[in-house]
Amino acid sequence: MKFFIDTADVKEIKELAATGMVDGVTTNPSLAAKSGKKFLDLVREICAVVPGPVSAEVTATDFDTMMKEAAVLRKIAANVTIKVPLTPDGLKACKTLSGEGVMVNVTLCFSPAQALLAAKAGASFISPFVGRLDDVGTDGMALIRDICTIYKNYAFKTEVLVASIRHPMHVVEAAKIGAHVSTMPPSTLRQLFNHPLTDKGLKAFLDDWAKTGQSIL
Ligand code: G3P
């Protein structure tokens, strides 16, 4: 499973990229706004840190303007992935851009039917939002299961990019299903490293080692 981080915080991206665990980055207009930076500068900066796919979302809602925005964004770096909303115009833009060899991430997916449309439009990634579905009392992970089954049935190449992840078990469940990518907030990626028994065990090893008075170096 590939790990993307869902943030526009360049400091966090740099720190986590250094762990070797970051395969890509996803941003959205809300995260970009939070960064306080100029969007095009921000995307350029992130693309220079992470060589994998970096999702930059269009903010227009009509096809023509989406295509104009995509033309600007795709010029920034070769690893820019154009993110479009799951609307008729977004899918039309997806079809056109993917036909031109551009990576496209279709976002705001909340149903298997929508995911089927995105795959037919040639999306590189479909982003189903598990956390937001859980928030409204439905089973977000059931959507991941359904999409993975449908894509497998027809050997679609679109990768399932599990989004709106809120905690480590979302990542584990998505991996058990076989989803291709999890995009998660930096805090969740950090949590994946942690286990209290690891900390306890390491402390005991180091305490015992200290008693020997030895040093490897
Ligand atoms: O970037 C899309 C998605 O991951 C947003 O997550 O936590 O705002 O629902 P969240």
Side-chain angles (χ1 to χ4, degrees), residues 58 65-75 80 82 97:
V58 297
T65 320
M66 277 183 192
M67 290 303 292
K68 283 182 192 150
E69 291 183 351
V72 172
L73 295 171
R74 58 195 274 201
K75 268 193 218 132
V80 168
I82 305 299
L97 290 165

Side-chain angles (χ1 to χ4, degrees), residues 6 26-28 31 83 107 129 131-132 163-166 183:
D6 197 30
T26 49
T27 66
N28 61 41
L31 293 170
K83 200 171 180 188
T107 189
F129 281 28
R132 291 192 196 185
S164 187
I165 277 177
R166 301 281 162 77
T183 190

Side-chain angles (χ1 to χ4, degrees), residues 9-76:
D9 183 330
V10 178
K11 188 173 168 277
E12 290 268 40
I13 294 169
K14 282 183 180 162
E15 279 178 25
L16 289 168
T19 68
M21 291 295 160
V22 176
D23 302 301
V25 177
T26 49
T27 66
N28 61 41
S30 305
L31 293 170
K34 204 170 143 197
S35 80
K37 296 190 177 182
K38 285 196 172 165
F39 185 50
L40 301 188
D41 294 342
L42 173 72
V43 174
R44 192 171 297 109
E45 217 181 325
I46 298 173
C47 287
V49 177
V50 175
V54 173
S55 290
E57 189 161 338
V58 297
T59 53
T61 52
D62 67 285
F63 171 76
D64 289 335
T65 320
M66 277 183 192
M67 290 303 292
K68 283 182 192 150
E69 291 183 351
V72 172
L73 295 171
R74 58 195 274 201
K75 268 193 218 132
I76 294 176

